[in-house]
Amino acid sequence: MKKFYKVLCICGHGLGSSMMLRMTVESVFADLGINANVETACVAEAGGYLLGVDLVIVSPELRKLVDIPEHVDVVEVINFLDKNEVSAKLERFFA
């Protein structure tokens, strides 16, 4: 049985960029055959969503603003819409 991952995509304001990242991540996960529940949150609310999360996907700038527990893995993405970047980073993470 494949593992089911809980993933949190974090953006600055929670208005739309995290949703765009979520769609990109879900597309990459489908391509890679990874089972995951992908949630979104803004920086201000992210702390309340971290319980039980396996992976956080966030920009390098925003990572500095969120207190992510050490046991939670993090993938930093610069361009949330660049499927090639997201795919390459997630492929390395799940390798």
Side-chain angles (χ1 to χ4, degrees):
M1 177 185 248
K2 286 186 176 181
K3 179 174 174 150
F4 188 83
Y5 294 89
K6 185 174 177 185
V7 179
L8 180 63
C9 297
I10 300 174
C11 73
H13 300 288
L15 297 176
S17 57
S18 62
M19 288 301 294
M20 291 184 285
L21 175 58
R22 177 184 180 173
M23 292 186 324
T24 304
V25 168
E26 288 177 335
S27 177
V28 170
F29 282 169
D31 293 346
L32 298 176
I34 294 170
N35 295 316
N37 178 35
V38 183
E39 298 292 332
T40 61
C42 68
V43 169
E45 299 174 345
Y49 289 87
L50 289 170
L51 185 63
V53 167
D54 300 301
L55 174 65
V56 169
I57 304 173
V58 64
S59 72
E61 297 82 18
L62 296 178
R63 180 180 187 173
K64 300 170 191 172
L65 302 175
V66 180
D67 186 20
I68 301 170
E70 289 186 27
H71 70 276
V72 176
D73 291 310
V74 178
V75 170
E76 293 181 354
V77 174
I78 295 169
N79 183 344
F80 288 4
L81 297 177
D82 184 351
K83 186 174 178 182
N84 291 326
E85 177 192 0
V86 174
S87 182
K89 290 181 176 180
L90 290 175
E91 282 178 21
R92 278 190 299 239
F93 175 79
F94 286 103

